[in-house]
């Protein structure tokens, strides 16, 4: 692939003791594209995410993130919170990680922490209630409100996040990630546990995120109908290595991919093949 | 996390369950007490071992455990944690919640009037000052434990740093209370950051143990650094506070003489009362303010899920440090007040007992709730005095009360959480959703 990659992963490896979770993996994600990372259970997809977002320090390899202005950042050299703050990479988790005891609105306010911290003059301006802080706070609430509206949770803004139904929690987590104004959004199985209607709504949301905000998306997903419908590019992993890469159409017909899924789980293989027809 | 409310409708355990539980408790008691109570041994007149059995006492003890276990279990059911059992009708509950909203203002007005109402009762005024000191300490520790979810067992260290800062600065350099007060807070905050740095990698139990050790270290340093702190003898002759330079003394330049009224020692007590009230209210105001600022939200988010915080670009290290420093600063203020009130401080006032008491106030009050902490301080310090007549049974009564309270309200007096920002309705968040933090 050529063009303008926002993320390029080069020979990434991650070992846990004797286990090689990711082995010499190279792939790229194009700017303003939706790139899907798929593979059977235990293929190492979440581990790749954890390396990109700084939760794991990779054993070897390089990850380069290039912003719109051409500024490139080596992700493996930054640690955890700086990746979100400086490289503007946001993520969601396979098992939802909201702040359950805070309201939906508060969750989205926490996501704007760094911007608000600056606006509050590192708390001091905020403490005396400076007008500039008040304005910034109102803007943050407005942004949160916009996102709550987009995910259809405006009327539940003041409910505790932990009280929301599962599907709403998934969407709230995506909205929370978007409130950090990311350049690259990494979603770990956003459609897991959603019904068909909710999955369709999710696909629409992701397409609109890419379309309206120009945010690039890296997506781990088992739900092949979502992957095939919205991805521009698909990378297939198995046992820590890349076994195939291409457009959804190419992947669907790739015998190696079908074999990998067959080896792992027959139902998934059938799902892969059927979702295309 | 995604557990639906339906899963919470676990039926109250039946008679068989209670019976089984009581039986197990009785069995454990039997094993434990059979040697401790059942067999009594003593050295005879010429050194030989004599022993006799007391199976009657043993049986009584086991029966008491059996009965007690059933009682506790029944209590738990009838009177159980808020939110699981709703015996109280909705109308009564809404009245209660309305009354609940009045508690804080009524309490505040009453506190302001205490020196007026009890002007002649020195004992009440002293007790009031003591309660307010613990309210302030509780509010300070609440930032660390209640909001940021970091378990700090060494809070007394900052209280000590504040007290000694004022005492030493005032006795050695003659600085006034009003200059020393901010300095004491800054020094305590500085120590908070110093403690924070090494312990921030630790979580939960480890953090608790290290902070506990830090509290002890500070005390030991104070005891052993004789040349500076006077060691176990403490610091004496700490200046009393002045009303912006006007001393509260009987002399010609004293406040009483200036106002042309007769001098009374009560003036100083009343002054101290309003001083600590002002300091406590400042703590409260700042904390409430901070909760609505990004830093306060980050503290609470940290308590809820640290990993998610990092994924959102929040620097968890500085966030924890600011929580430590803020809590420590309030502890330092309280310490400076303590020193000026007593006029004398020694390491004995800064033992682990104090840390434990303040932590108990925070936990009992409901972690994170300002009103809850104030009520708990009133109940703990005031209640403790109330039972003074019971002498050695005081601790027992106190322990019982605590156990009952924890059965009734496991998350403290006020367990629910008030949101920091809302769009339409400001509704409290039930305590079973709010996390307690993990270190
Ligand atoms: N922290 C860790 N320590 C040890 N082994 C790990 C760790 N994290 C992941 N692994 C191992 O790495 C392998 C890949 O796991 P990973 O979670 O990345 O798979 P995945 O592709 O996300 O699977 P799934 O579809 O089930 O989410 C697994 O064998 C897992 O046991
Ligand atoms: Mg995974």
């Amino acid at each position: 692939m050529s063009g303008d990659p926002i993320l390029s992963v080069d020979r990434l490896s991650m070992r846990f003791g004797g286990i090689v979770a990711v082995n010499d993996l190279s792939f790229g994600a194009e700017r303003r594209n939706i790139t899907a990372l798929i593979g059977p259970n235990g293929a190492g997809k979440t581990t790749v995410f954890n390396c990109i977002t700084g939760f794991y320090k990779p054993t070897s390899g390089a990850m380069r993130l290039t912003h719109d202005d051409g500024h490139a950042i080596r992700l493996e050299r930054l640690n955890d919170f700086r990746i979100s703050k400086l490289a503007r990479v946001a993520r969601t988790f396979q098992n939802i990680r909201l702040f359950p005891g805070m309201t939906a609105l508060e969750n989205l306010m926490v996501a704007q922490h760094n911007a608000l911290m600056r606006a509050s003059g590192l708390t001091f301006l905020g403490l005396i209630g400076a007008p500039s802080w008040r304005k910034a706070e109102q803007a943050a609430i407005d942004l949160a409100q916009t996102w709550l509206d987009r995910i259809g949770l405006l009327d539940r803004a003041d409910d505790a996040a932990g009280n929301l139904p599962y599907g709403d929690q998934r969407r709230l987590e995506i909205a929370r990630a978007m409130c950090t104004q990311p350049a690259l959004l990494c979603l770990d199985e956003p459609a897991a546990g959603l019904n068909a209607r909710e999955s369709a709504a999710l696909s629409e949301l992701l397409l609109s995120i890419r379309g309206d905000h120009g945010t690039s998306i890296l997506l781990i997903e088992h739900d092949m109908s979502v992957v095939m419908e919205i991805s521009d590019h698909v990378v297939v992993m198995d046992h820590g290595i890349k076994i195939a890469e291409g457009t959804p159409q190419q992947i669907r017909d790739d015998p190696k991919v079908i074999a990998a899924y067959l080896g792992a789980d027959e139902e998934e293989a059938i799902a892969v093949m059927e979702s295309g027809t | 996390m995604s557990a639906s409310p339906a899963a919470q409708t676990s039926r109250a355990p039946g008679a068989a369950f209670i019976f089984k539980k009581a039986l197990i408790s009785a069995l454990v008691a039997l094993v434990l007490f059979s040697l401790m109570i059942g067999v009594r041994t003593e050295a005879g007149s010429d050194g030989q071992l004599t022993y006799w059995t007391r199976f009657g006492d043993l049986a009584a003890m086991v029966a008491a455990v059996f009965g007690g276990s059933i009682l506790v279990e029944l209590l738990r059911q009838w009177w159980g944690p808020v939110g699981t059992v709703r015996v109280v009708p909705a109308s009564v509950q809404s009245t209660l919640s309305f009354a609940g909203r009045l508690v804080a203002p009524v309490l505040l007005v009453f506190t302001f009037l205490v020196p007026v109402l009890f002007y002649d009762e020195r004992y009440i005024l002293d007790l009031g000052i003591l309660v307010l000191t613990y309210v302030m300490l509780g509010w300070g520790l609440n930032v660390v434990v209640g909001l940021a979810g970091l378990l700090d067992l060494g809070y007394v260290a900052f209280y000590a740093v504040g007290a000694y800062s004022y005492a030493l600065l005032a006795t050695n350099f003659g600085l006034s209370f009003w200059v020393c007060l901010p300095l004491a807070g800054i020094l305590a905050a500085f120590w908070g950051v110093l403690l924070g740095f090494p312990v921030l990698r630790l979580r939960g139990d480890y953090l608790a143990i290290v902070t506990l050790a830090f509290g002890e270290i500070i005390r030991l340093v104070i005891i052993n650094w004789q040349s500076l702190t006077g060691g176990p003898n403490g610091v004496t002759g700490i200046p009393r506070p002045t009303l912006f330079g006007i001393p509260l003394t009987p002399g010609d330049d004293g406040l009483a003489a200036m106002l042309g009224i007769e001098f009374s020692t009560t003036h100083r007590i009343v002054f101290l009362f309003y001083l600590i009230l002002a300091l406590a209210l400042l703590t409260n105001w700042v904390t409430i303010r901070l909760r609505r600022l990004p830093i306060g939200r980050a503290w609470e988010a940290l308590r809820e899920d640290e990993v998610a915080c990092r994924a959102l670009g929040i620097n968890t290290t500085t966030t924890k440090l600011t929580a430590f420093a803020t809590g420590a600063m309030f502890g330092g203020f309280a310490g400076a007040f303590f020193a000026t009130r007593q006029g004398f401080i020694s390491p004995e006032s800064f033992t682990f007992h104090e840390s434990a008491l303040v932590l108990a106030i925070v936990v009992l009050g409901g972690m994170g709730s300002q009103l809850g902490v104030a009520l708990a301080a009133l109940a703990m310090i005031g209640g403790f005095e109330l039972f003074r007549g019971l002498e050695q049974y005081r601790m027992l009564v106190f322990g019982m009360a605590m156990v009952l309270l924890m059965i009734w309200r496991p998350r403290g007096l006020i367990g629910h959480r008030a949101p920091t920002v809302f769009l339409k309705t400001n509704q409290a968040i039930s305590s079973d959703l709010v996390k307690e933090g993990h270190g």
Side-chain angles (χ1 to χ4, degrees), chain A residues 32-55:
Chain A
R32 274 179 268 286
N33 268 7
I34 296 180
T35 309
L37 189 60
I38 66 169
N41 288 110
K45 307 179 294 292
T46 300
T47 308
V48 171
F49 262 37
N50 282 335
C51 289
I52 292 172
T53 52
F55 282 87

Side-chain angles (χ1 to χ4, degrees), chain A residues 96-110:
Chain A
I96 306 170
R97 298 196 87 121
L98 288 168
F99 306 118
M102 301 176 94
T103 65
L105 177 63
E106 282 180 305
N107 268 271
L108 301 191
M109 293 296 280
V110 172

Side-chain angles (χ1 to χ4, degrees), chain B residues 32-374:
Chain B
L32 268 178
F33 293 136
S34 57
L35 285 177
M36 278 157 58
I37 292 176
V39 185
R40 173 87 179 153
T41 57
E42 224 162 69
S45 48
D46 34 295
Q48 88 280 29
L49 181 75
T50 61
Y51 68 92
W52 62 95
T53 54
R54 299 188 298 188
F55 289 137
D57 293 355
L58 178 65
M61 200 68 202
V62 170
V65 168
F66 184 74
S69 170
I70 290 181
L71 203 72
V72 165
E73 204 51 49
L74 286 179
L75 269 181
R76 208 203 288 274
Q77 261 183 45
W78 289 333
W79 206 29
V82 202
T84 49
V85 187
R86 293 243 178 264
V87 268
V88 194
S91 60
V92 178
Q93 274 198 345
S94 67
T95 326
L96 274 179
S97 81
F98 178 70
R101 244 170 285 154
L102 285 178
V103 167
V106 166
L107 211 63
L108 186 64
V109 170
F110 176 75
T111 313
F112 265 105
L113 291 179
V114 160
V116 181
L117 296 173
F118 302 101
Y119 185 77
D120 293 326
E121 295 182 64
R122 174 86 194 258
Y123 172 71
I124 302 260
L125 289 182
D126 275 334
L127 184 59
I129 292 176
L130 192 67
V131 169
L132 283 173
T133 310
Y134 280 98
V135 168
M136 175 159 182
L137 285 172
W139 278 341
L141 184 61
N142 195 25
V143 171
V144 185
V145 179
L147 295 184
L150 304 165
L151 187 51
D152 182 357
L153 290 182
Y155 193 58
V156 75
F158 308 123
Y159 191 39
V161 168
Y164 271 88
S165 300
Y166 170 57
L168 295 176
L169 287 172
T171 52
N172 293 335
F173 302 105
L175 295 180
S176 86
F177 178 75
W178 297 102
V179 175
C180 290
L181 186 69
L183 284 180
I186 289 168
L187 279 170
F190 172 75
W191 280 100
V193 171
L194 222 59
L195 162 69
F197 261 116
V199 306
L200 285 173
R201 286 164 205 289
L202 307 173
R203 320 179 98 215
D205 306 352
Y206 300 101
L207 178 72
I209 289 168
V210 174
T211 51
L212 175 83
F214 185 77
E216 285 301 289
I217 289 170
I218 289 269
R219 196 169 63 86
L220 291 175
V221 167
I222 291 173
I223 290 179
N224 289 298
W225 197 348
Q226 297 245 4
S227 57
L228 181 72
T229 63
N233 300 326
V235 183
T236 49
I238 302 168
R240 301 306 192 147
T242 56
L243 188 65
F244 304 105
I246 309 168
L248 297 153
T249 51
D252 280 345
D253 56 345
L255 182 68
M258 285 180 89
L259 293 178
I261 53 173
E262 203 175 323
F263 174 78
S264 154
T265 48
T266 314
H267 293 161
R268 202 185 67 219
I269 308 293
V270 170
F271 174 65
L272 284 173
F273 186 93
Y274 282 118
L275 177 60
I276 184 66
L277 182 59
L279 285 175
L281 289 180
L282 176 78
T283 309
N284 187 33
W285 180 81
V286 171
T287 310
I288 290 175
R289 234 14 230 250
L290 285 177
R291 265 196 77 206
R292 296 186 189 142
L293 288 173
I295 188 72
R297 285 204 196 99
W299 289 339
E300 290 200 77
L302 201 64
R303 176 193 66 202
E304 296 283 315
D305 193 327
E306 190 176 337
V307 170
C309 280
R310 291 212 305 261
L312 295 174
I314 295 176
N315 185 342
T316 51
T317 311
T318 51
T319 304
K320 285 181 185 179
L321 276 178
T322 51
F324 253 98
T326 310
M329 182 181 70
F330 294 134
F333 289 153
F337 172 81
F338 177 76
T340 191
R341 185 199 124 167
Q342 299 288 102
F344 160 75
I345 51 168
S346 77
E348 267 161 60
S349 309
F350 307 107
T351 55
F352 171 65
H353 180 85
E354 296 296 309
S355 297
L357 190 57
V358 179
L359 186 66
I361 287 172
V362 174
V363 172
L364 197 68
M367 302 208 293
S369 161
Q370 297 292 99
L371 177 61
V373 168

Side-chain angles (χ1 to χ4, degrees), chain A:
Chain A
M1 59 190 260
S2 59
D4 179 18
I6 182 162
L7 174 76
S8 56
V9 174
D10 190 26
R11 307 200 60 180
L12 179 75
S13 292
M14 182 77 221
R15 283 191 196 86
F16 301 103
I19 302 171
V20 186
V22 179
N23 191 2
D24 215 17
L25 178 78
S26 302
F27 72 94
E30 287 292 298
R31 196 178 305 281
R32 274 179 268 286
N33 268 7
I34 296 180
T35 309
L37 189 60
I38 66 169
N41 288 110
K45 307 179 294 292
T46 300
T47 308
V48 171
F49 262 37
N50 282 335
C51 289
I52 292 172
T53 52
F55 282 87
Y56 293 158
K57 199 126 215 101
T59 315
S60 65
M63 295 167 292
R64 183 191 301 276
L65 186 107
T66 316
H67 280 156
D68 287 357
D69 57 10
H71 179 60
I73 294 176
R74 296 285 292 271
L75 295 180
E76 74 278 7
R77 291 185 190 159
L78 294 179
N79 56 2
D80 57 18
F81 76 93
R82 285 194 185 83
I83 291 194
S84 167
K85 192 175 172 178
L86 304 176
R88 306 217 329 274
V89 176
R91 73 170 290 179
T92 64
F93 294 88
Q94 191 165 350
N95 333 307
I96 306 170
R97 298 196 87 121
L98 288 168
F99 306 118
M102 301 176 94
T103 65
L105 177 63
E106 282 180 305
N107 268 271
L108 301 191
M109 293 296 280
V110 172
Q112 303 175 57
H113 177 82
N114 286 320
L116 285 176
M117 210 55 189
R118 244 173 284 125
S120 72
L122 299 176
T123 305
F124 296 105
L125 283 179
L127 211 52
I128 57 168
S132 67
W133 154 248
R134 283 180 202 283
K135 224 192 288 158
E137 187 186 31
Q138 193 51 51
I141 293 174
D142 290 344
L143 178 66
Q145 202 168 346
T146 315
W147 274 105
L148 285 169
D149 196 22
R150 282 185 72 168
I151 59 172
L153 283 181
L154 196 51
D155 51 338
R156 303 212 60 177
D158 301 321
D159 287 345
N163 256 349
L164 297 174
Y166 187 78
D168 291 350
Q169 293 197 11
R170 280 247 174 250
R171 269 177 298 141
L172 182 60
E173 206 191 10
I174 295 172
R176 189 181 66 177
M178 283 309 292
C179 278
T180 65
Q181 317 260 9
L184 177 68
L185 177 66
C186 302
L187 303 170
D188 199 345
E189 302 199 19
L194 302 190
N195 61 34
R197 195 173 44 80
E198 287 172 323
S199 296
L202 177 82
S203 299
E204 228 167 89
L205 177 68
L206 296 186
L207 286 173
S208 83
I209 284 177
R210 182 192 56 171
D212 302 349
H213 300 269
T215 309
S216 315
I217 297 178
L218 188 60
L219 171 77
I220 294 178
E221 191 46 70
H222 280 299
D223 185 333
M224 287 307 152
S225 62
V226 173
V227 172
M228 295 299 154
E229 190 187 329
I230 67 172
S231 322
D232 301 300
H233 188 76
V234 183
V235 177
V236 191
M237 280 181 80
D238 191 18
H239 297 295
I241 56 172
K242 181 171 78 180
I243 57 168
E245 176 170 27
T247 62
Q249 189 60 49
Q250 290 165 333
I251 293 303
R252 191 162 40 211
D253 304 329
D254 192 326
K256 277 200 301 254
V257 177
I258 295 168
Y261 272 89
L262 269 178
D265 189 327
E266 211 158 327
E267 275 172 35
E268 277 182 73
I270 291 163
V272 173
M273 289 180 284
E274 278 183 350
S275 57
T277 56

